[in-house]
Structure formats: structure tokens, C-alpha cells
Amino acid sequence: LIFYRLCLEKILPQCILQSRSLSGADAINALRPFYFAVHPDFFGQHPKEREVNENSLKRLNGYLENLQKPGFRSFKPTHLTFYVRESEPNTSNVQESFSASGFRAVSFTLHTRDLLSTVLDILNSCSLSTEHVQSLNVNSQSRKEAKTVLNRPIKWDKTYYSFTGFKDPEEELEQAQRVETTLISWLDDNEESAVKKLKKSLPLRKELERLKFELSHQLQLSDIRWQRSWGIAHRCSQLHSLGRLVQQRPEVLKNVKGRTLIFTDRSGMSAAGHIMLGTMDVHHHWTKIFERLPNYYKLQKRMLFLEDRISQLLGGIQVIYIEELQPMLTLEEYYDTLDSFYNKLLDSRLPFHPRSLRGLQMILESGRYAPSLHELGHFTIPTACDPATLQWFIIAKAQEARRNLKRKEELMITEKELISTSTEKFSLDRLYKEPSVSSAQMIDCCKRLLEESLPYLQGMHLCISHFYSVLQDGDLCIPWNWRS
């Protein structure tokens, strides 16, 4: 009986697994619809969704790489979340919701042991077609046959496992899914890898700081930033490129004094008034942007005038643009949004008392249809909002908005103090958070960290995020709601 069981549960499944193996190249081809639906490059104007997809893709790629390693046996369920551009109805059993930008948020857990099952799980979880997978050459074995075998596992009565002492695979799977990664266990497993990557990146980190300081001083810039989480080597390359342009065409950069320069996906000026340099653009495109700066500055003055006029029409409420929460808009796009909203307000002539809403803040969004009050105290107003609805909503929520704004100031002070205290206690080289982590979440995370003894963190770069990961340059990412 035991020999028969071994044949069925050990030898046969291995033969089946070999017959349904998928090469790395085939897996990439099969996942093309998925990559097209979630690739961060298609979320350029939606920073939160792009950031989530970037981080999840890094973890997915690591999972796929491990599956292709010879003799890979370790098995750690990996929970992933993606924002999907398609809006097809969901027929899977995965957790799903919609972001404020209208993208479909899909969360699922991978616990497969081969590439084919993983590919099918990903596609099915995102409600994407799997028909094209049938055309792949899976060692001459059709996907339908493999799926039939997969869906008919050998099930033994629980008493059999008690009698023979063999482990119940279903029970093992359930336990693996229930086990939550703890902060200590994850640091134990990943400290060595992080230290090795960090040491390797130190020369480049020094080079990056030197280049940033020299260019900022030479051009008298307020700051140099990056919109996306590129690696240190990538950032150094971008600064070297800018340095060459400074040497070749110093006259075109005479108008950048006091400005913030951001390396991002496209060139121009942002709604916040920062100079954007597209990382895929050549020097010719950058030169054109620098030459157009005087025109951008004129448009920016007109934009500020429009914001002021809107404020006057709405009882003194301040119109602001929040980079961390809003889509990355160009100055032209933002001006058009303001102009459209301003003309709508002029036609409606809402009876707000002058300066009755001073001290309050609002942002404009073109992709929403109902106004809302953010937990940080600002109003989110859709450009298509009905004027009467807008007036009623702002007046009804004004007091709550003032309380939220006051709480925001208190949270920011507390957050800054806790970051400083945590950095000092654990001798961290740097402690920072991703933009999608709120001040309240950061405060909760730091308070609980300060209760722990974590010698692993000495000299490290720690990023508070929504997931566990070791970045390519050695930064440790931990979720803000980590478990002890």
C-alpha cells in the first residue's frame, strides 16, 4: 500500500510536472497581456498605482526567477496587489476593488511550484484570457490534459496519514497560507543579502551625492529629485547626462535658478512648477525645454492668477496641487483644468460669503464626479461637479475639514519626531517612507519599532512600505503594519 501510494503521490506527479514544464521565455510570452495591463509605464499620471505595480512586479519577477532555479524546493506564499487598466468584469475569486482613478485593484496569493501553474494563476486572477497559453509548446502535452490531471489530485482519508505518518499535503498548504511573515524572521532571512547589496552600492551612493551637490550648486537649483524609484546606478547615469549638457550648452540653463528639477517619464514643466526631464529623451529635447522656460514661467503666473480667482469665487478656499496624491500633470494640462473649472464657476455665480472659507484647501481632479473630504483636510473637487452640489458639500463639511487640517499638522510634527528618534535608536543610515504610506501609518509603524530590539538595522537604509523586499541597492523595505 505504501509503495503504491509513493508511486501515485511522488513518481507520477513528478512525471506530470515535467510534462507540463514551461520555459522562462514561454512564461514571459504567456504573460504579455498581463504585463501590458499592469506595466508602470502606462500609469505615468497616476503615481500611487504606478508605485504599487512597480513594487509588485519586482516581487513577482523574484518569484518567477526562483521557480527556474535548479533544485528549487522552498515554498513561501507571496501576496501581490496590482492595478489593472482593463475594466472587464471579474469572474475570479480574488479580492478586488477600484482605485479613485478608476483602475481595478486585484490582490492574490501565489503558492504554485511550476511556471505554467503560476502563469495560469496570474492570468486568471486578473480576469485575463488564458487561451493563448494553449499554443505554447509544453513538451507536446496540451494544457487541457495537464489541467485535467491538476484538478484531480489524489485524496486520501485523514486516517491514512495518521496511520502511516505521512504529511497531509492539503494540511501543509493550509498551514503555509496561514503563516504570516514576521519582522524578525524576515530580517533574519534577508539581512545578509541586504548588507551585501548595500556595501556594493556605497561607492555609487557617494558618487550620486557628489554629482547632485555639484550640479545643484553650479545651476543654483533648489533640489534635484526623481519621480520613480530608479536604482543608484540609473540616477548617476542621468546626472552624468545632465552634466554633459551643462558643459556643452551652459547658456540654455541660465533660467533654472531656484527651481526644482525632476527626472521623470516626460519633459516639460509640472503643475507644481518643477522642471521635468524625461529619462528617455535625448539632449535635444532637454535643450528645448530649457529654452522654453521663460514661456513656462509666464504660463505659471497665469495659472496662479486663475487659482486666486477661483479662491475668490469660493469664499477664500485655497486651491492647491499635491504631488504625492494627484496625477503627474504638466503645467499646460493643469492650466486647462483650472480654466475649465473657473469658467463653470463664473456661469453659476455661487453665493459664497467673501473669506468665509479662508484657511481651507481644495484640489481639482478631472476623473471624479462626486466631491469628497480627504482625511488630511483638503477637499477633492471634480471639475464636472454640479455647482449646487459643490456649494452644499463644502459648507456642510467645512468644520470637519478644519479639524482634519489641524490634525494633519499635529501628525506631521509627531511623524518627524518619531523618524528622528527611530533613526537614532537603531543607528540607521536613513529612514524614509513611500509616498503611499500616510503619516498616521508611519507613526504607528515607528511607535511599534521603538518597542523592539533590532540590531540588524544598524547602518541600514530602511523604507516603510506596504510589503517586504530588499531593493537592488540594499535598502530594506518593510510593510508599515508589520507583524511581530
Side-chain angles (χ1 to χ4, degrees), residues 31 34 63 92 94 106 108-128 130 150:
L31 286 173
F34 165 75
Y63 189 93
S92 63
V94 295
V106 179
F108 54 90
T109 300
L110 291 177
H111 44 70
T112 45
R113 295 173 181 263
D114 64 281
L115 282 174
L116 181 58
S117 298
T118 305
V119 167
L120 293 174
D121 268 11
I122 294 169
L123 295 175
N124 286 325
S125 296
C126 295
S127 302
L128 297 171
T130 59
L150 179 68

Side-chain angles (χ1 to χ4, degrees), residues 19 47 201 227 262 265 406 426 465:
S19 71
S201 74
Q227 181 196 6
I262 299 181
D265 295 324
K406 184 178 180 180
F426 300 114
S465 176

